[in-house]
Amino acid sequence: MKIGLLDSGVGGFSVLREIHQLIPGAQLHYVADSSWCPYGNKPGHIICERVTGIADYLLEAGAEVLVIACNSATIHAVGSLRATYPLPVVGMEPAVKPAAELTRTGVVGVLATEASIAGEKFHQLVNTHARGVRVITRPCPRFVELVESGTLQGDEVNEAIDEAITPLIASDADVLVLGCTHYPFLRPAIEQRLPEGITLIDTGPAVAKRVASLIPELSDLSKEPTNIHIETTGSLEQLDLLLPKLLPDLTASTSEAGF
Ligand code: DGL
């Protein structure tokens, strides 16, 4: 069972690591579209077109399940991918529903890209699952830049975090959603800056469970050796530098994207 994954860059590694932890023997083929990063400031139709091209490539390379390890790409492309592709397409969107269920103050902060927040799908998500809850959105493009450069801690990171979360905390949000796959890499730094009693939600583990539910012979897979291949449309040198920082416990082969 080969699982194809894609993201605008290395953010989707936060999903890949959850899938690998749950299904260690699954073959993972990941495309990091780093030369197009960020997706978050691009129009929806452009994201959709680009993501469809990468999905075609993963399909040709033998993917049997496709994981859109990117909220922005899911919001703008998952509908058309599901309608046209002959394989299961797993997407992810900011965890508004669990956040709305968890909040005690009635205020939820959603950290996500502009592209995710602007999509009609996001408004539907809020209208359907967060009625009566105040949902405050906050794009954090700096977080994406920091993770793409492998900067996960330090003054620059702390400043970016404070700028993003201070207004949310001031508005009494008690649940914050990490609605972009890059953001979980800053989770340890974010946790250090949060006051007590604030819950952070990341959708990576739920996506991994969904992927596992699509694989019938899970127990056979756990005996297979790890087989992870990561391609980048950006710099291979940069990918090789980032990999041990972002996925220190994982061995993967890397190459430039073959399209
Ligand atoms: N990692 C992506 C997401 O989950 C997008 C980051 C970006 O390229 O702006 O939305």
Side-chain angles (χ1 to χ4, degrees):
M1 173 65 73
K2 196 162 173 180
I3 300 169
L5 302 99
L6 66 89
D7 177 48
S8 65
V10 294
F13 289 178
S14 65
V15 179
L16 181 145
R17 72 180 170 192
E18 300 293 342
I19 295 175
H20 176 66
Q21 203 177 323
L22 205 61
I23 324 165
Q27 273 192 67
L28 306 178
H29 181 187
Y30 182 107
V31 172
D33 195 12
S34 292
S35 69
W36 271 56
C37 191
Y39 282 178
N41 63 2
K42 297 193 171 55
H45 69 279
I46 301 279
I47 298 174
C48 183
E49 208 175 297
R50 180 70 182 168
V51 165
T52 305
I54 300 171
D56 284 345
Y57 173 69
L58 286 166
L59 206 72
E60 266 172 45
E64 292 157 272
V65 173
L66 189 63
V67 180
I68 313 297
C70 173
N71 295 262
S72 317
T74 299
I75 283 189
H76 294 287
V78 80
S80 71
L81 292 178
R82 284 194 179 131
T84 47
Y85 281 23
L87 79 175
V89 180
V90 179
M92 56 198 304
E93 49 200 17
V96 170
K97 187 178 178 210
E101 285 163 5
L102 266 175
T103 180
R104 279 157 294 135
T105 59
V107 185
V108 159
V110 178
L111 307 169
T113 68
E114 268 178 68
S116 292
I117 295 163
E120 179 54 33
K121 212 165 186 279
F122 182 77
H123 292 286
Q124 279 170 12
L125 202 63
V126 172
N127 285 338
T128 314
H129 298 295
R131 278 195 180 271
V133 171
R134 184 171 171 218
V135 177
I136 310 174
T137 55
R138 182 91 200 172
C140 311
R142 272 304 283 141
F143 286 11
V144 174
E145 289 167 14
L146 289 164
V147 173
E148 286 290 323
S149 69
T151 313
L152 307 182
Q153 55 192 11
D155 291 347
E156 230 186 318
V157 170
N158 291 340
E159 272 165 34
I161 292 171
D162 290 348
E163 197 190 318
I165 65 172
T166 305
L168 302 176
I169 305 301
S171 302
D172 212 18
D174 62 345
V175 182
L176 301 186
V177 175
L178 299 178
C180 165
T181 53
H182 283 75
Y183 303 171
F185 287 109
L186 299 180
R187 185 177 187 136
I190 296 173
E191 274 171 348
Q192 280 185 357
R193 322 275 312 159
L194 280 181
E196 290 259 313
I198 310 274
T199 307
L200 272 182
I201 305 186
D202 161 22
T203 23
V207 171
K209 275 191 201 147
R210 170 82 189 115
V211 172
S213 77
L214 294 167
I215 299 177
E217 36 348 283
L218 261 189
S219 52
D220 300 344
L221 273 180
S222 62
K223 292 171 213 127
E224 296 288 322
T226 301
N227 183 344
I228 303 175
H229 185 62
I230 300 171
E231 295 184 45
T232 179
T233 63
S235 150
L236 182 57
E237 204 182 327
Q238 174 69 359
L239 173 64
D240 289 338
L241 280 175
L242 283 176
L243 209 48
K245 275 193 181 185
L246 300 179
L247 300 173
D249 305 322
L250 215 134
T251 313
S253 57
T254 58
S255 66
E256 278 169 11
F259 60 92

